[in-house]
Amino acid sequence: MTEHPILYADVLLPVPLLQEFTYHVPPHFIDKIVPGCRVIVQFGQRKLLTGIVKNTHLIKPEYDTKPIEATLDDAPILSNLQFQFWEWIAGYYMCSEGEVMKAALPSGLKLDSQTSVLINDNWEEKEDKKLSPTEESVFQFIEFQKKTNMQQINSLTKRANAYPVIKSLLQKGAVIIEEELKKAARPKTVTYIRINTSLKSEEAMKMAFENLKRAKKQLNLLMFLLNKLNFYAPQQTQTISKKELIKESEYNENTLKQLEKKGYIDLFDVEIDRLPDIQKSKDINKLNPYQEKALNEIYASFIKKDVVLLHGITASGKTEIYIKMIQEQMKVGKQVLYLLPEIALTSQIIERLTAVFGDKAGIYHSKFSDSERVEIWNKVLDFSDSESNKYQLVLGARSALLLPFKKLGLVIIDEEHETSFKQFDPAPRYNARDASVVLAKLHNAKVLMGTATPSFESYFNAKTNKYGYVQLNNRHSNIEMPEIIIADLKAAYKRKQMKSHFAPLLFEAIENALAQNEQVILFQNRRGFSPFLQCRICGWIPKCKHCDVSLTYHKFFNNLQCHYCGYSINLPSACPDCNSADIQTKGFGTEKVEDEIKIIFPNVSVGRLDYDATKRKHGFEKVLHNFSSQKTQILVGTQMITKGLDFDNVSTVGILNADNLLDYPDFRSYERAYQLMAQVSGRSGRKSKRGKVIIQTSQPEHRVINLVQKNDYETFFNTYIEERKTFRYPPWYRLINITIKHKNRNRAITASKQLGAELRKTFKTRILGPDFHLISRVQQYYQLIIRIKLEKSIPPDKAKSEIRNSIKKVLNIENNSSVQINIDVDPL
């Protein structure tokens, strides 16, 4: 008998190590192991992980291999194009492919030996979901244990590997994993009503009517249901949903329950798709001549360029152009990815797109339950160009970029300047805007970036002919751009004209808007009531015990909070250093503005849009609904109010302190200040009349503020792009930040100096630092930063290889093994 050669598989694992791991394939798995499929493998002495087979071969590695324990898929969940994309992300952003895998796959697709498994209390065994004897024994074990993990299931049930069994139990809904329990423990159901079959006979029906003579409401409801469901007709309607019944009639739940209790009707739940079946409710609007011209220019640019920047002023109708282009891609059977900076902040755009494209449009982001994310992953993976196919258009935040697209034709990046497209922690620290260009190239697709205030990088690429460039300079319905007025805070304070935080110009504008029943937006880019407290006697300021920052006062919670680690303390009644009770708030945030507006205008309804006000479930939607329906007259907010919001009745916008934006110590501070001021200004006067914007500042002559006032982005860019060149910053140079962290301050300083010295051997004067971060300690870790500025002419792969080698040398030095070193390529 001839001996078959041993088959080996290179497996990607969700670990931060720069290598693949080779396992041998047992004979009984040979037909099932193909690239892109998930497998269970042992990692280390005891741990079991879900990995993805990258390739198979017959070359034995130099070490003894472990066997693949189990297979989880009958068909690949990843394509070769996705492997290529993951490789590019890992290489460019200097992380491992395992870290990319961990970020890309929903938790339900990457079970490991520590994954907690629980019984689904809402599960009922049905004919099509009967458990096998093996599944039954594992189910009973989990039920007895209440909560357990894969490792315990394997050992205590005496099974070599319970993963395939758990996978089957998950599919049947008998068990859930812990993450799923936190987010969406119960399956989504709809309650339906039907007439009990006992009423089929004429005699039973007469008796029912007789019994209900004295219960008029119940009798009327039963009659309504008999007519609604055509109970006596040959083609009767079997059921009606409870929601539909209550909507169409005047009956309440109590009446329904009484009829059910008497056995005349049945109420039952039907499990439905977790993903809503969105019906198309709106046709595509006809483009105006300016939009039509811009669309034609985009298509003309696509002949020579793969990426086009659409520079359209606020309220110019960019979304209508996107919709038209999406429609064209759908006609030819292509998928479209529409990237948004933050899903929670762009509900209006989502509503518009789903209204036009119905169930062809799907939404994907990290706030979804794990079950929903797995379901969306599978729908995108199984895409075909048939008419019935869902999810041809995917709307998502940056994580949607990592979905398994098969026929991608177009990527739209809305508000491309937004920093939210950049992943900060953990790795991969990728920028979805930039990575989407590579993804599109792999699929032979096109990329359209849209914004009213382009990032310097994108505008530079357009100016240097790397991207196509199209302008849209006319607002929809030819509404004028808002009038921007500068209010001098220094002069107002000097003349004692300030009313709370409002200069006379802004206060008068608010009064006029309210008098005309119009709405007002007030922008203050700092949440909380007050940035810090201070004792007037000794100067004591309460600090976070884990981070080197002052604690922010939150009046609603009546406590002091750290915005970096979440640490909080109760509001002190006296100074702990001198026992003085004279403690004052310093500065102001959105909470304080809201509080004082309510005092100044007691009869005006005020809303607040910031992280604190919207972190409760549906908090954002509630604030937004109240303002768009004009229940709220004044909306106070942080930069959340600048993103994709469209309100008809807003006539006045106030920027309370432009100086905070301009004076931030970062080379991008002017760029971000311009973008934020221009974007928030664009919320004013979008529909019927010209709006008004008041910018409060102590620097009324500042060049950036004057250019915002003139809406002159071109001059703004030309002025400050030369500064970037002089000081060797992007987009002229590549920037890589290396952060060195340790809980011991001296160890962090020593390791960072060692790394700086090692890097200087290769990069010479291109190295800046090490210096302490702006916040020198976060979550008990001291952090220092080294910046590397590289000319575009230097091969990036070679430079990155040198950086890796230097880091490896430093980590191998005695006492440095516990030092954390993070690399951020193209930091923001």
Side-chain angles (χ1 to χ4, degrees), residues 96-115:
S96 71
E97 286 182 58
E99 287 170 307
V100 181
M101 171 192 167
K102 191 172 184 179
L105 293 187
S107 296
L109 294 178
K110 50 178 192 276
L111 305 176
D112 63 38
S113 55
Q114 299 306 311
T115 301

Side-chain angles (χ1 to χ4, degrees), residues 212 215-222 225 245 250-262 264-265 267:
L212 294 174
K216 290 288 185 186
K217 286 185 179 180
Q218 294 174 40
L219 180 60
N220 290 340
L221 177 55
L222 181 60
L225 284 168
L245 174 69
E250 299 174 359
Y251 307 107
N252 57 33
E253 291 225 22
N254 187 50
T255 311
L256 273 174
K257 285 178 182 175
Q258 291 300 319
L259 281 180
E260 184 188 30
K261 191 175 179 181
K262 291 174 182 177
Y264 299 142
I265 63 171
L267 269 68

Side-chain angles (χ1 to χ4, degrees), residues 7 25-39 53 56 68 70-76 164:
L7 184 66
V25 181
H28 54 286
F29 287 150
I30 284 177
D31 293 336
K32 294 183 177 181
I33 301 292
V34 293
C37 284
R38 290 174 303 146
V39 292
V53 176
T56 57
I68 287 174
T71 62
L72 294 178
D73 301 305
D74 296 323

